[in-house]
Amino acid sequence: MSSLLPYTDTIISYTIAAVALPLVASLINFCLPVKSKLAGWVSTLAILLGCVFSAMVFAAVWDQQPQHVQTMWFTIGTTKIFAGILLNNLSVMMLLLVSLIALPVHIYSTAYMKYDDRYSRYFTYLSFFCFSMLGLVVVDSLVLFYAFWELVGFSSYLLIGFWFTKDKAVQANKKAFIMNRIGDIGLLSAIIILFAKFHTFDIATLFISDNLVFKSVIHDGLWISASGQIPAVWQYVACIGVFMAVAAKSAQFPLHTWLPDAMEGPTSVSALIHAATMVAAGVFLLGRVYPLFTDSELTVLAVIGCFTAFMAATIALTQNDLKRVLAYSTISQLGYMILAMGVGAYGSSLFHLATHAFFKCLLFLVAGVVIHEMQHIKEENDLDIDPQNIQYMGGLRKKLPLTFIVAVVGSLALIGIPLTSGYLSKDGILIQAFEWSEGRSAWLKLIPAGALFTSWLTAFYVSRLIVKVFFGEFRLLKKYPEIKLHISDGGWQYRVPLILLAVCSLFPLFSLNPFFYEKAWLFESLKPAEFMARENIYHTIIPIGVNILSVFVIYAAYAIYVKQNTFSFPQTGFFYRLSYNQWYLDKIYRKAIVKPILGLGKTCFWFDRNVIDGLIHLIERTSRMVASLTAWSDKHIVDGFLHLMAALVQSIGNFARKFQNGKVQYYLYSMLLIVLVLFILKILI
Amino acid sequence: MITLTDFLLVGALLFCTGMYMIVSKRNSIQVLIGIELMLNAAILNLVAFGKYDKLNNGGQVFALFAIVLAAATTAVALAIILNVYRRYKTIDPDEIKNLRD
Amino acid sequence: MTLVRLLFYVMSFIAIASALYAALSKNLVRSIFIFFVTLFALAGLYVIALADFVAVTQVVIYVGGILVLILFAFMLSGRETLNVIQHQKGKFINMAKVPAVILAVLFLAVIVNIILKADADNLPWIKQAIAQQNEITPTSSTIDNIGVNLMTTYLLPFEAISVLLLMALVGAAHLSRKEGGA
């Protein structure tokens, strides 16, 4: 299964090619001039080829024996660290998914970023991101995994702050970076603990083939495995660390606040990174290290996922920023995935991850088109509006017919209406959540209930979004009647990705049976072995109940926002404000974390300024005093001594010089005197 | 009988007189005279000691040599003095200090 | 007190007194001429020391040669020399001369001290010479002996002296040539 000779297998070479091509593209683009239009096609070609390779790898590995090759990386003492590629169902699915999502986004970007000043830089970053993400899913070592994890975070940072002249973008990428750092610390500590416990970084050994982690047990406060035992608290710490990493990358409560802000990046980036791929990295990590979690820890995961899903959905209800609504919807859906992981619906979670990637990407690209056109109107007519605000939109279905159709497809998939991929995956999660809560405490029954309620909320906010953007009258036209409108769906670079993704959001890609999620091939391959067959009432009741109510909700939204003739929400109620202000979480963070830290910083600054600097000044003054003292002594004593010596030598010289007066008799006199003195001495002695 | 010591004492006196002249005189010719005086003192000693060497007459012969040498010395010294006078227009040895640094 | 002794004292006195006068005199001409007296007195002392040939040579070379040379030099050096002398007139004790006097006196003291210490009359080789009759007596003639010795025992120094004399002659002649010719 694991061979020490890499690169011999074609599948492995294809994998390496798929991962490395974007990196090559990135390096080429980095060397190109910043405005070169070639960059887009280099990156797109690379990802297209990568896509083909990924598809081949996928075809070869899916439902087959996992492939695992590795080579010795380095040795520390007697510990050998291996690095290699691990291909199993999970990783090839992610490999294909990332490539497939990246391809339309690349095509779309060539048009979307056409007028940007740093066009090739954009593609450099984008390709680099693809490389990081593809690398992340195939590596087999936790160390490499961590490295790619960091690269993903880094490229995300670059892309969020791509328009770094915008202050908000800079703030947002800083925020994302710091939030991700918190998660990285967690991941790093988890990796360290795992290594300390099992003496290996190998994912296959840890979680798959030998499954050391699964075989270890917690007993009597000790974490026992074949390689020894350590206090159980480390297992909890590792789990918390992994959870922190997941929460940071996949935007789970309480680390989710960076994701809505990350919408400051280009919309195509939001589609790729913050909807489809990068945020999926957290769920992917969870999938990789799934055996680490014990039952109770999974329950915690479920609770947090459910809460995140619910909270994000409520926030999405009232947001007016197009991309923000979608961002919260993403958080909400990611909450679903975590919830699914928590309730043991491993397969459903990943299934939802795959389907969500397509339709959320689609919706973001739609948002991109809409924003692009709004920006166009704004610039053409010189208006002072926010192009992302849905309050100004409306009735766009006539102007942007194709966009409207694909948007509806994407929205229905997000709501989970039958015949879409979203229905298959989301209902799977709901059903399994209900099954899981069977026989558990009443409180835990709230989890599936919350998920169910959230799905109705989802129906509502998505409908609100679509209705506000595409139905009714164009409110901007109402406000500024004189403006001219020259908008359309855009060129083929817009249309092709949208259609492609819309098709992928429908059921046929995943299952030939549009109603029963159990029949989806993706799900069947990923589902756990002890999966319950279609045997109880939930499998029938829940989809029906959910969808009927969803349809009602959609109609209600349509009624509220288009007709404006039925009841409407109070715009000043507590819940409205709670939702509108995103549960005040940012403000709480600001008050509870940022302020104290700033205060601490100021205190440190004060301390630094007054005490440390004072000390330094004291030292400085003392040393200056000493220095001046030294200077004085140097000048007066040492130099004086030198001058004395010099003067002495000079005077001796002058004195001796007097004898050299050139007078012959004087010389003779001296000579005789010395002879005389010698004589006298001779006599006397 | 006149003892050897008597001659030696006279020689010493003459010698010191000559020395005084050499050291103190402001005239090169007088300095030369001083030199002659000292030479004569030396010759006197030679002669006095030569009294006790009848066979070889060492003292007297060398006294003769010394006298001849003194003559040569004087001739050269006078030539030098003449040259010095021609160049410096003086024969005061104190004025001739080109030797000074 | 014999006549010889008396003569010795007289001669010594004349020699020393004239030498002192020559030394102390500020007049160059006077000191030259008084130097004659000194030389004559010394020749007398040589005679008393039983070296009559040396005394004759002294008179011939010194008085006849050297003094005349000095006089010529004095006369050739012109009037300025005399002017210098005029300036120093009237100062018997010149403060500038005091160190020289001290030096001379101290030297004299040292030499006298040495002479007295040496006790020349009792030197071994002198005693031996007296004992072996190797002493010149007033009656003995020394001139022929000197002539023989010059041509035998002291031939090499003699010749060396003659070469030296020749060199001195040439040198003096060269030095006293007029400038520009050299």
XYZ file of all heavy atoms in Angstrom, chain A residues 625-679:
441
model
N 27.177 61.044 31.769
C 27.950 61.693 32.809
C 29.323 61.034 32.924
O 30.359 61.698 32.971
C 27.213 61.577 34.131
C 27.185 62.848 34.940
S 25.834 62.758 36.107
C 26.496 61.563 37.237
N 29.256 59.702 32.975
C 30.521 58.960 33.064
C 31.398 59.296 31.875
O 32.606 59.514 32.001
C 30.210 57.442 33.124
C 31.489 56.640 32.996
C 29.535 57.113 34.432
N 30.705 59.379 30.728
C 31.462 59.647 29.508
C 32.126 61.014 29.573
O 33.303 61.167 29.222
C 30.547 59.565 28.294
N 31.334 61.998 30.061
C 31.933 63.326 30.095
C 33.061 63.380 31.127
O 34.076 64.055 30.923
C 30.861 64.380 30.407
O 30.246 64.072 31.611
N 32.831 62.623 32.223
C 33.892 62.542 33.228
C 35.142 61.943 32.602
O 36.261 62.456 32.761
C 33.404 61.659 34.381
C 34.011 61.934 35.744
C 33.551 63.288 36.236
C 33.628 60.840 36.713
N 34.891 60.861 31.886
C 36.014 60.204 31.218
C 36.673 61.145 30.225
O 37.903 61.224 30.148
C 35.502 58.961 30.470
O 34.622 58.263 31.331
C 36.640 58.056 30.084
N 35.779 61.871 29.497
C 36.315 62.806 28.511
C 37.192 63.845 29.202
O 38.276 64.182 28.725
C 35.174 63.485 27.762
N 36.648 64.336 30.370
C 37.427 65.356 31.088
C 38.781 64.793 31.492
O 39.818 65.401 31.274
C 36.644 65.821 32.303
C 37.345 66.919 33.040
C 37.238 68.251 32.816
C 38.281 66.758 34.100
N 38.045 68.940 33.652
C 38.711 68.051 34.462
C 38.815 65.659 34.765
C 39.626 68.268 35.470
C 39.730 65.874 35.774
C 40.126 67.172 36.119
N 38.702 63.594 32.099
C 39.960 63.017 32.578
C 40.863 62.702 31.402
O 42.086 62.852 31.481
C 39.694 61.768 33.402
O 39.473 60.675 32.563
N 40.200 62.294 30.315
C 40.986 61.999 29.125
C 41.704 63.249 28.656
O 42.890 63.222 28.333
C 40.034 61.492 28.037
C 40.766 60.692 26.990
O 41.562 59.825 27.381
O 40.542 60.948 25.815
N 40.907 64.328 28.649
C 41.446 65.578 28.120
C 42.519 66.151 29.040
O 43.558 66.602 28.584
C 40.303 66.577 27.977
C 40.605 67.707 27.020
C 39.330 68.444 26.739
C 39.536 69.545 25.712
N 38.252 70.195 25.443
N 42.181 66.105 30.327
C 43.065 66.811 31.252
C 44.142 65.937 31.862
O 45.232 66.420 32.136
C 42.256 67.468 32.361
C 41.450 68.619 31.855
N 40.176 68.453 31.359
C 41.742 69.929 31.726
C 39.710 69.626 30.979
N 40.636 70.540 31.170
N 43.813 64.682 32.095
C 44.799 63.834 32.768
C 45.612 63.051 31.750
O 46.831 63.182 31.673
C 44.106 62.907 33.780
C 43.483 63.759 34.891
C 45.118 61.935 34.372
C 42.687 62.995 35.868
N 44.888 62.293 30.934
C 45.630 61.456 29.983
C 46.336 62.322 28.955
O 47.559 62.218 28.762
C 44.666 60.463 29.303
C 45.436 59.624 28.310
C 44.012 59.576 30.333
N 45.512 63.231 28.351
C 46.120 64.124 27.372
C 47.171 65.003 28.028
O 48.240 65.260 27.451
C 45.063 65.020 26.733
C 44.359 64.277 25.617
O 44.553 63.051 25.535
O 43.643 64.922 24.852
N 46.827 65.437 29.243
C 47.782 66.286 29.964
C 49.089 65.558 30.173
O 50.167 66.109 29.977
N 48.956 64.284 30.538
C 50.151 63.480 30.736
C 50.952 63.408 29.439
O 52.173 63.606 29.430
C 49.736 62.088 31.183
C 50.875 61.186 31.473
C 51.703 61.418 32.561
C 51.151 60.116 30.656
C 52.770 60.584 32.820
C 52.206 59.283 30.914
C 53.032 59.510 32.006
N 50.143 63.166 28.354
C 50.807 63.092 27.055
C 51.494 64.416 26.713
O 52.641 64.439 26.259
C 49.793 62.743 25.969
C 49.406 61.274 25.918
C 48.378 61.054 24.848
C 50.631 60.424 25.667
N 50.737 65.502 26.962
C 51.316 66.806 26.667
C 52.538 67.049 27.517
O 53.529 67.621 27.054
C 50.282 67.911 26.899
C 49.239 67.948 25.843
N 47.946 68.333 26.084
C 49.293 67.603 24.542
C 47.260 68.248 24.968
N 48.045 67.793 24.023
N 52.440 66.592 28.773
C 53.587 66.744 29.669
C 54.774 66.003 29.085
O 55.884 66.528 29.003
C 53.223 66.198 31.047
C 54.320 66.357 32.101
C 54.437 67.819 32.502
C 54.046 65.489 33.297
N 54.484 64.767 28.660
C 55.558 63.967 28.081
C 56.134 64.674 26.857
O 57.352 64.776 26.703
C 55.031 62.583 27.658
C 54.649 61.686 28.810
S 55.968 61.486 30.005
C 57.024 60.359 29.116
N 55.181 65.150 26.031
C 55.628 65.812 24.806
C 56.477 67.025 25.144
O 57.558 67.239 24.576
C 54.433 66.229 23.968
N 55.975 67.812 26.140
C 56.699 69.017 26.520
C 58.063 68.655 27.098
O 59.075 69.313 26.819
C 55.891 69.802 27.544
N 58.045 67.551 27.879
C 59.299 67.104 28.491
C 60.301 66.746 27.411
O 61.451 67.210 27.415
C 58.995 65.891 29.367
C 60.054 65.546 30.404
C 60.115 66.646 31.449
C 59.751 64.215 31.043
N 59.785 65.944 26.468
C 60.670 65.511 25.385
C 61.152 66.723 24.607
O 62.334 66.826 24.261
C 59.921 64.516 24.471
C 60.717 64.261 23.197
C 59.679 63.205 25.197
N 60.190 67.658 24.391
C 60.576 68.846 23.626
C 61.641 69.648 24.360
O 62.621 70.110 23.756
C 59.331 69.706 23.396
C 59.533 70.683 22.257
C 58.325 71.559 22.070
O 57.496 71.668 22.964
N 58.219 72.172 20.916
N 61.394 69.774 25.684
C 62.366 70.587 26.424
C 63.706 69.882 26.475
O 64.761 70.533 26.355
C 61.846 70.875 27.830
O 61.679 69.658 28.509
N 63.651 68.552 26.633
C 64.922 67.819 26.613
C 65.603 68.022 25.276
O 66.806 68.273 25.192
C 64.670 66.318 26.883
C 64.274 66.121 28.350
C 65.912 65.498 26.583
C 63.839 64.725 28.661
N 64.729 67.926 24.238
C 65.269 68.112 22.897
C 65.882 69.483 22.736
O 67.013 69.625 22.254
N 65.133 70.487 23.200
C 65.643 71.851 23.094
C 66.917 72.013 23.895
O 67.865 72.667 23.460
C 64.595 72.848 23.579
C 63.553 73.097 22.508
O 63.845 72.916 21.326
N 62.375 73.501 22.908
N 66.853 71.366 25.099
C 68.030 71.445 25.954
C 69.221 70.808 25.254
O 70.305 71.399 25.175
C 67.718 70.736 27.273
C 68.860 70.700 28.230
C 69.298 71.871 28.843
C 69.508 69.508 28.517
C 70.346 71.841 29.724
C 70.566 69.483 29.392
C 70.993 70.652 29.998
N 68.971 69.613 24.700
C 70.058 68.904 24.030
C 70.473 69.646 22.771
O 71.633 69.613 22.368
C 69.614 67.483 23.679
N 69.491 70.312 22.172
C 69.781 71.021 20.943
C 70.782 72.150 21.164
O 71.565 72.486 20.280
C 68.450 71.584 20.426
C 68.477 72.051 19.000
C 67.047 72.293 18.568
N 67.025 72.998 17.292
C 67.080 74.312 17.185
N 67.131 75.050 18.286
N 67.062 74.878 16.004
N 70.690 72.687 22.380
C 71.590 73.799 22.674
C 73.056 73.386 22.566
O 73.912 74.188 22.262
C 71.314 74.327 24.083
C 70.122 75.259 24.123
C 69.947 75.793 25.533
C 68.559 76.380 25.682
N 68.122 76.314 27.092
N 73.270 72.101 22.873
C 74.660 71.665 22.804
C 75.134 71.596 21.368
O 76.306 71.731 21.091
C 74.815 70.289 23.465
C 74.488 70.319 24.916
C 73.320 69.778 25.396
C 75.365 70.924 25.808
C 73.032 69.828 26.721
C 75.065 70.967 27.144
C 73.890 70.419 27.612
N 74.178 71.373 20.485
C 74.546 71.252 19.076
C 74.563 72.638 18.430
O 73.865 72.886 17.475
C 73.538 70.345 18.353
C 73.293 69.019 19.017
C 74.513 68.140 18.996
O 75.244 68.112 18.023
N 74.770 67.436 20.092
N 75.365 73.514 19.007
C 75.316 74.877 18.510
C 76.337 75.148 17.428
O 76.486 76.270 16.979
C 75.473 75.874 19.659
C 76.742 75.608 20.424
O 77.532 74.750 20.030
N 76.949 76.329 21.490
N 77.068 74.114 17.031
C 77.980 74.285 15.923
C 79.290 74.965 16.299
O 80.136 75.220 15.451
N 79.446 75.253 17.585
C 80.688 75.921 17.978
C 81.731 74.866 18.297
O 81.539 74.028 19.179
C 80.451 76.797 19.208
C 79.492 77.927 18.903
C 79.335 78.800 20.121
C 78.348 79.914 19.815
N 78.025 80.710 21.001
N 82.818 74.939 17.597
C 83.854 73.917 17.730
C 84.415 73.894 19.140
O 84.567 72.838 19.756
C 84.995 74.192 16.723
C 86.033 73.095 16.822
C 84.447 74.311 15.323
N 84.615 75.057 19.658
C 85.221 75.128 20.992
C 84.290 74.599 22.053
O 84.730 74.006 23.030
C 85.610 76.578 21.294
C 86.850 76.975 20.536
C 87.104 78.453 20.647
O 86.232 79.266 20.417
N 88.325 78.811 21.012
N 82.989 74.821 21.777
C 82.031 74.328 22.753
C 82.062 72.805 22.790
O 82.058 72.193 23.848
C 80.631 74.818 22.353
C 79.567 74.483 23.350
C 79.377 75.280 24.474
C 78.761 73.374 23.172
C 78.421 74.970 25.386
C 77.788 73.051 24.080
C 77.617 73.859 25.189
O 76.661 73.557 26.102
N 82.136 72.214 21.616
C 82.226 70.745 21.570
C 83.479 70.261 22.287
O 83.426 69.322 23.075
C 82.292 70.271 20.113
C 81.036 70.521 19.311
C 81.065 70.579 17.932
C 79.802 70.650 19.946
C 79.940 70.791 17.180
C 78.667 70.869 19.201
C 78.729 70.945 17.818
O 77.618 71.151 17.108
N 84.518 70.940 21.965
C 85.781 70.537 22.581
C 85.707 70.668 24.084
O 86.128 69.780 24.824
C 86.887 71.448 22.019
C 88.303 71.057 22.398
C 88.645 69.744 21.718
C 89.283 72.143 22.001
N 85.107 71.761 24.507
C 84.971 72.019 25.932
C 84.194 70.877 26.583
O 84.601 70.329 27.604
C 84.247 73.345 26.133
C 84.088 73.727 27.580
C 85.133 74.392 28.236
C 82.939 73.455 28.279
C 85.016 74.737 29.554
C 82.817 73.795 29.596
C 83.847 74.449 30.242
O 83.723 74.780 31.543
N 83.077 70.524 25.953
C 82.262 69.451 26.508
C 83.059 68.166 26.591
O 83.023 67.442 27.603
C 81.038 69.197 25.627
O 80.477 70.397 25.210
N 83.780 67.916 25.529
C 84.551 66.680 25.496
C 85.564 66.642 26.637
O 85.646 65.668 27.388
C 85.263 66.598 24.151
C 85.837 65.266 23.839
S 86.689 65.357 22.267
C 88.280 65.928 22.775
N 86.251 67.731 26.756
C 87.272 67.783 27.797
C 86.643 67.684 29.171
O 87.196 67.043 30.077
C 88.061 69.085 27.669
C 88.944 69.149 26.422
C 89.527 70.548 26.259
C 90.048 68.116 26.521
N 85.497 68.327 29.272
C 84.822 68.275 30.573
C 84.494 66.841 30.936
O 84.701 66.404 32.083
C 83.531 69.093 30.489
C 82.977 69.597 31.819
C 83.969 70.549 32.470
C 81.647 70.270 31.604
N 84.035 66.106 29.946
C 83.665 64.715 30.230
C 84.908 63.907 30.582
O 84.902 63.120 31.540
C 82.927 64.111 29.014
C 81.519 64.706 28.955
C 82.827 62.599 29.135
C 80.856 64.557 27.630
N 85.977 64.159 29.829
C 87.232 63.463 30.150
C 87.651 63.779 31.577
O 88.020 62.885 32.347
C 88.325 63.876 29.151
C 89.684 63.327 29.591
C 87.986 63.393 27.755
N 87.500 65.055 31.898
C 87.868 65.482 33.247
C 87.029 64.782 34.291
O 87.549 64.264 35.284
C 87.682 67.003 33.333
C 87.981 67.621 34.692
C 89.485 67.549 34.952
C 87.519 69.042 34.750
N 85.733 64.761 33.988
C 84.850 64.113 34.954
C 85.238 62.657 35.113
O 85.286 62.123 36.220
C 83.384 64.246 34.488
C 82.477 63.328 35.291
C 82.925 65.677 34.607
N 85.579 62.017 33.991
C 85.983 60.612 34.073
C 87.235 60.466 34.933
O 87.326 59.577 35.780
C 86.237 60.069 32.667
C 84.992 59.727 31.859
C 85.365 59.281 30.465
C 84.181 58.659 32.574
N 88.126 61.377 34.667
C 89.362 61.327 35.479
C 89.056 61.471 36.951
O 89.550 60.718 37.785
C 90.321 62.436 35.035
C 91.242 62.018 33.936
C 91.286 62.673 32.721
C 92.108 60.924 34.141
C 92.155 62.283 31.721
C 92.972 60.531 33.132
C 93.000 61.210 31.917
